[in-house]
Amino acid sequence: MQWGLFSQGFVMTQNTETASSEDIVVNASELNFFYGDHHALHSINMQIPRRKCTAFIGPSGCGKSTFLRCINRMNDLVDGTRMEGSLLLDTMELNSETVDVIALRRRVGMVFQKSNPFPKSIYENVIYGLRIAGVRNRALLDETVERCLQKAALWNEVKDRLHTSALKLSGGQMQRLCIARCIAVDPEVILMDEPCSALDPRATSSIEDLVDELSQEFTIVIVTHNMQQAARISDKAAFFYEGHLVEFGDTEQMFRKPANQQTQDYITGRFS
Amino acid sequence: MNLANKAVFFLRGIASFVSQEPREANTEGGIFPAIFGTFILTLLMSVAVMPFGVLAAIYLREYARQNWFTQTVRISINNLAGVPSIVFGVFGLGFLVYFTGSTIDKLFFSNSLPAPTFGTGGILWAALTLALMTVPVVIVATEEALAAVPRGAREGSLALGGSKWQTIYRVVIPAAAPGIMTGLVLAMARGAGEVAPLMLVGVVKLAPALPVDGLFPFLHLDRKFMHLGFHIYDLGFQSPDSDAAQPMVFATTLFLIALVVLLNLGAIAIRERLRRKYAVGAF
């Protein structure tokens, strides 16, 4: 603890007692993260449960996206970043030189803020992950496309034009296509980085329903700026502030009766 | 002659101009060997410059660490684009013709020495000289196109478990293809009209045979060739009777300009098709 965190007055509050009995898939302990000299995450301790939806909330620049991107090592793309501490996916240590990031990213999928379908057909978009993994079996590919699009609640809208460009879809459809593309490689964890921030309310609600549905089957970690959204769809919530994890616990409890004054201020919008 | 006859005569004249061999020390007849030589030369140059320039740009932009060394390489490439073309001709003559060509002759064509096969100017050396001259254009254009590929497209591929090369090959290069084509268009336009370096590395006023014919191996890279740009220079300024050659000079000039415009239009059409096909980030 050479970072002197406790002197800054941040006290992590764990308001749930059941954490130990849950099936934990991502386990961060004393995780620190640096962009060059900038200390972006301070001693994060968090256990993300399997097949639940966990929401990260907090003001912009608080480190929630950075933490999200640690889980699939997407921060590797930025030069001069450094991780310290331990981050476990099941039993695999992610903060290690020897991690096969390609295999890791097949286990941990990601949906981005700005939907980014490839300039290919809808069909090719869904099977991209399988194609690059070397799958050639036509029947399997066809089956995957139908299954994933159905899971992403997009099948009925696009089944007649699977081979037309994905760029002709609407914003909400594109984002659902990105979700279908993500679940096609059958990941254990799906990371979502503000997936609805560029969508209209109707598309947002369809994505929310989808997230709800998918959290039966996948572990979902979602970053959101929308408090109502976090309250609606997540089982667990984590409040980040200035690189510290301020509070982490059951969503219901956190929104009803936050243990921390800062959390309460943020949730109720009395934040400065 | 009525109008119809005039039109027929006119069209027949054009047809024979572009399809026949020159006669009477190039002042009569057509310019077909020069057209053909220019075409093959530009084609060979594109084949040589394209992979070389694109791979260099991919390495510089995607793989090389960005430090003072890559920065120096970049500045050098930009400066290379400003080197006078005759300097490339001298380099081509010294390095390609005299050094590389004579070495090839010694190793593979020693039975026909002292008559040189590759140790003298020819279409291969001319194409490579032009490729060297135009490679900076392709590198700069490709690098800019790669840099303009949105980050989201790369991240999307990487997040699905794509390796770096798979991402570059399947997402980045298609998205950058229109920009890469633009670079090639600029390179071709510059290469097709260039004359000065060719005079040192293999262009002639009258070639005995075309660089491509029915004899094995069909493409004769060692042959000397004719070229529209040089043809203009030779007719207008080297011919014993330049007054008689004047119409030929103007006609050939018009033809060369038309050819370059046509090349550019063709490449622009390809670029537009690619752009429509691979447009990224239409959100």
Side-chain angles (χ1 to χ4, degrees), chain A residues 193-260:
Chain A
D193 194 351
E194 300 175 45
C196 303
S197 65
L199 300 179
D200 66 57
R202 222 171 125 215
T204 299
S205 100
S206 77
I207 300 279
E208 283 180 13
D209 292 346
L210 186 55
V211 169
D212 215 28
E213 187 86 9
L214 291 173
S215 62
Q216 313 287 320
E217 200 177 334
F218 303 96
T219 306
I220 292 183
V221 185
I222 185 167
V223 167
T224 177
H225 277 137
N226 182 333
M227 289 308 113
Q228 286 76 33
Q229 184 174 65
R232 272 196 301 268
I233 60 177
S234 66
D235 303 297
K236 288 263 193 178
F239 175 60
F240 285 80
Y241 184 63
E242 287 184 352
H244 297 265
L245 177 58
V246 177
E247 185 165 347
F248 177 57
D250 289 333
T251 305
E252 222 183 298
Q253 192 165 353
M254 193 193 280
F255 276 81
R256 192 153 9 100
K257 194 173 179 305
N260 188 293

Side-chain angles (χ1 to χ4, degrees), chain B:
Chain B
M1 285 211 290
N2 61 20
L3 194 65
N5 287 348
K6 276 182 186 165
V8 169
F9 182 80
F10 181 65
L11 290 175
R12 205 168 272 162
I14 290 180
S16 67
F17 176 65
V18 298
S19 67
Q20 282 181 3
E21 310 252 320
R23 287 176 278 117
E24 315 288 335
N26 291 358
T27 55
E28 299 277 324
I31 54 165
F32 178 71
I35 298 172
F36 194 77
T38 307
F39 177 72
I40 297 289
L41 179 71
T42 310
L43 203 70
L44 284 174
M45 181 207 80
S46 307
V47 167
V49 78
M50 188 71 170
F52 193 63
V54 171
L55 287 178
I58 288 175
Y59 177 75
L60 271 180
R61 171 64 52 184
E62 306 284 336
Y63 286 94
R65 195 164 301 199
Q66 304 299 322
N67 54 20
W68 64 269
F69 181 73
T70 42
Q71 216 45 45
T72 313
V73 169
R74 239 178 232 125
I75 292 168
S76 310
I77 289 169
N78 281 322
N79 284 335
L80 215 54
V83 170
S85 56
I86 190 72
V87 176
F88 283 97
V90 174
F91 175 81
L93 182 70
F95 178 73
L96 295 172
V97 176
Y98 289 161
F99 175 70
T100 317
S102 331
T103 312
I104 290 173
D105 278 356
K106 268 183 214 129
L107 292 175
F108 301 105
F109 300 96
S110 51
N111 47 356
S112 64
L113 281 173
T117 310
F118 278 100
T120 177
I123 195 159
L124 175 67
W125 303 136
L128 291 182
T129 304
L130 285 189
L132 278 177
M133 195 186 78
T134 51
V135 80
V137 180
V138 176
I139 292 180
V140 169
T142 306
E143 265 214 84
E144 274 167 19
L146 292 175
V149 174
R151 203 187 144 123
R154 293 162 198 269
E155 286 187 339
S157 170
L158 290 170
L160 285 165
S163 68
K164 191 164 189 170
W165 171 243
Q166 283 171 327
T167 301
I168 291 173
Y169 175 74
R170 287 172 181 266
V171 177
V172 177
I173 292 181
I180 296 174
M181 283 305 295
T182 311
L184 189 66
V185 172
L186 293 173
M188 280 166 79
R190 193 174 166 200
E194 197 61 64
V195 179
L198 300 182
M199 293 164 75
L200 302 179
V201 290
V203 81
V204 286
K205 57 159 66 185
L206 193 62
L210 295 175
V212 176
D213 61 20
L215 292 173
F216 186 80
F218 309 120
L219 176 60
H220 303 274
L221 292 173
D222 56 318
R223 281 192 187 162
K224 296 197 185 296
F225 60 99
M226 292 173 73
H227 184 273
L228 285 168
F230 184 73
H231 202 69
I232 294 167
Y233 167 73
D234 181 65
L235 283 174
F237 307 100
Q238 302 292 298
S239 156
D241 187 4
S242 33
D243 284 340
Q246 241 183 28
M248 291 288 283
V249 173
F250 292 132
T252 313
T253 308
L254 181 66
F255 190 86
L256 178 60
I257 292 171
L259 186 78
V260 171
V261 168
L262 204 72
L263 273 176
N264 283 344
L265 286 180
I268 288 169
I270 295 172
R271 187 175 81 203
E272 286 307 313
R273 261 192 61 182
L274 289 172
R275 190 170 282 167
R276 266 200 304 281
K277 195 168 163 196
Y278 293 119
V280 191
F283 185 68

